[in-house]
Amino acid sequence: MRRKRSNSIEELTVEQYAALEDKSIVDVILSHVKPLKTLKTRICDIEPRKPSLSDFTLREVIYFKNKFQSGDIEEVLHHVYGIKTTETANVYSVASSLKWLESEMLRINENEKRLSSEKDSETWKQSGIERLGGFGEYANLFMLSKDITREDAILNMPYYRIFDFQEISKIWSEIEQKFSKIKREQS
């Protein structure tokens, strides 16, 4: 039995796309696809192993950040969907899934920016905060664990729990500072 050869542009696989001499028309269409979680292959639809990138462990999210920074987003796609290759996947679906991954990473980055205090940024700079820059994500991990024996446990926790803890800690610190100021003014 011969395998049906796909002539429909909607059924174009990554493998077939790679073989195209002129990709310009397809590239225009790919640039307009919407972010979607589901990855479609010839055989089945594949959902990410977790509902969101924030549900992966802190270790995995750090890995994702590093891969995004190095431009190796396809490696993140393979990890998130638990696949080894995208050759048989629909090229439009892969583009949509990559856009979903980018939107998830953007959301994580925006959330993390919310944690940094703009009002104290100059004071932190004067204090020498940039000296920690060379340690990357490890500086954050160290501040969370305060103990080298707890680092693996923290790395294996879901990212959202770590982020929630940091956000609550920041809010609690602001409340404590305001409370102390009010108490001093009342004295």
Side-chain angles (χ1 to χ4, degrees), residues 11-27:
E11 297 175 13
L12 188 67
T13 66
V14 171
E15 185 177 44
Q16 293 166 333
Y17 170 77
L20 290 176
E21 282 185 38
D22 182 11
K23 297 177 176 71
S24 59
I25 294 172
V26 177
D27 287 344

Side-chain angles (χ1 to χ4, degrees), residues 56-69 105 108 112 136-138 140-141 154-155 159:
F56 284 89
T57 66
L58 176 60
R59 181 185 317 270
E60 289 169 308
V61 171
I62 291 170
Y63 171 77
F64 299 157
K65 286 178 182 181
N66 290 336
K67 289 298 180 181
F68 266 84
Q69 286 176 348
M105 190 55 63
I108 285 172
E112 289 179 357
E137 293 286 337
Y138 184 75
N140 187 36
L141 177 62
I154 290 171
L155 283 168
Y159 172 83

Side-chain angles (χ1 to χ4, degrees), residues 55-152:
D55 292 307
F56 284 89
T57 66
L58 176 60
R59 181 185 317 270
E60 289 169 308
V61 171
I62 291 170
Y63 171 77
F64 299 157
K65 286 178 182 181
N66 290 336
K67 289 298 180 181
F68 266 84
Q69 286 176 348
S70 69
D72 197 1
I73 302 169
E74 194 167 325
E75 197 62 37
V76 177
L77 182 87
H78 293 168
H79 185 87
V80 169
Y81 288 90
I83 59 174
K84 291 187 181 358
T85 182
T86 56
E87 288 179 354
T88 62
N90 177 289
V91 72
Y92 302 103
S93 180
V94 170
S96 291
S97 296
L98 288 170
K99 283 190 178 184
W100 176 75
L101 288 173
E102 288 173 5
S103 70
E104 285 287 296
M105 190 55 63
L106 183 62
R107 187 177 52 79
I108 285 172
N109 290 333
E110 287 172 355
N111 284 340
E112 289 179 357
K113 281 182 186 171
R114 251 192 15 245
L115 282 180
S116 61
S117 175
E118 289 295 321
K119 67 177 184 172
D120 292 332
S121 63
E122 191 55 41
T123 307
W124 281 113
K125 285 179 186 174
Q126 291 173 358
S127 301
I129 192 77
E130 61 277 343
R131 291 173 43 202
L132 293 174
F135 295 100
E137 293 286 337
Y138 184 75
N140 187 36
L141 177 62
F142 176 79
M143 296 307 297
L144 285 166
S145 71
K146 304 261 199 264
D147 177 358
I148 198 164
T149 62
R150 295 182 54 228
E151 289 178 1
D152 275 337

